[in-house]
Amino acid sequence: MESLIPTLAIWALPVLLAITLHEAAHGYVARHFGDPTAHLAGRITLNPFKHIDPVGTVLVPIGILALSTLFGGGGILFGWAKPVPVDFGRLRKPKADMLWVAAAGPFMNLVMAIGWAIVFKFATATPQTAYTLPLELMAEAGMTINAVLMFLNLLPIPPLDGGRIAVSLLPGRMAWQFARLEPYGFPILLILLFTGVLGAILWPLIAVFRFVLATIFGFYG
């Protein structure tokens, strides 16, 4: 328990920002392309409390962190916020614009990962204080959770963002047939998770991404 509390304190802000700003980005881009649904629902905001899902944003990440801390191991830390409402039919070009709305979430995670890399570089380049190590650990957490959410959501499985991107890019009939997989998307994801396939796919991508960040910003970790 003593090690769990500091772990939760370090991961809380990065996880909250990664999950909620991902959703806000979807709403912002949807409004840009003609759908005001998220805006009218008050979901285009940096206020995380507008996006929090009690299970996906709080209980699931805390549960994964608790199990990893208490029993060891490195499970895939992930979560979700309340999905931003998007009426794709109100987009100016529904099929084409769907790509940009879907890609906005992973792109926001990319931006946040880069932001946390800058924080990490700042923490390691400035004189050591009592806040240096916590800041480094929080930046590490920020880079990791955003990398996980970015690559996870880019998997071509409806209703993940990658699935919607695929629907946008596929020809009409194939797109319609592929979109019919959406009700089975979450069970497929759970099967991939519990069989270890999901980790085998994501961890190499995350490792390469972290190496690229380390190379660009001149740090290693």
Side-chain angles (χ1 to χ4, degrees), residues 96-134:
D97 295 343
M98 180 190 300
L99 184 151
W100 305 110
V101 175
F107 178 75
M108 177 58 74
N109 290 127
L110 173 62
V111 171
M112 283 189 281
I114 293 172
W116 283 113
I118 293 172
V119 172
F120 186 90
K121 179 64 175 179
F122 171 79
T124 57
T126 54
Q128 299 285 306
T129 69
Y131 301 102
T132 299
L133 181 59

Side-chain angles (χ1 to χ4, degrees), residues 26-208:
H26 286 311
Y28 177 82
V29 175
R31 183 180 65 178
H32 176 77
F33 284 101
D35 174 30
T37 306
H39 172 69
L40 295 175
R43 296 295 303 281
I44 303 179
T45 175
L46 298 182
N47 179 2
F49 295 103
K50 292 286 187 177
H51 306 288
I52 287 176
D53 179 284
V55 175
T57 317
V58 181
L59 294 181
V60 169
I62 287 178
I64 295 174
L65 278 174
L67 291 174
S68 298
T69 302
L70 296 176
F71 298 106
I76 293 285
L77 176 65
F78 69 98
W80 61 90
K82 290 189 296 185
V84 163
V86 176
D87 184 349
F88 291 103
R90 301 180 72 175
L91 298 172
R92 286 188 285 273
K93 298 178 181 178
K95 190 172 183 297
D97 295 343
M98 180 190 300
L99 184 151
W100 305 110
V101 175
F107 178 75
M108 177 58 74
N109 290 127
L110 173 62
V111 171
M112 283 189 281
I114 293 172
W116 283 113
I118 293 172
V119 172
F120 186 90
K121 179 64 175 179
F122 171 79
T124 57
T126 54
Q128 299 285 306
T129 69
Y131 301 102
T132 299
L133 181 59
L135 191 58
E136 289 178 3
L137 294 175
M138 186 174 289
E140 285 272 5
M143 287 185 281
T144 299
I145 185 59
N146 279 288
V148 169
L149 291 182
M150 178 175 66
F151 289 117
L152 175 66
N153 278 283
L154 285 175
L155 292 177
I157 304 173
L160 295 179
D161 299 326
R164 299 201 187 282
I165 291 171
V167 170
S168 176
L169 294 175
L170 288 171
R173 182 173 178 79
M174 290 181 62
W176 176 75
Q177 292 175 335
F178 188 73
R180 294 177 65 187
L181 293 173
E182 184 161 330
Y184 311 103
F186 193 63
I188 291 173
L189 195 61
L190 289 179
I191 291 172
L192 294 177
L193 175 64
F194 290 118
T195 57
V197 174
L198 187 63
I201 295 171
L202 292 182
W203 283 126
L205 295 173
I206 293 167
V208 170

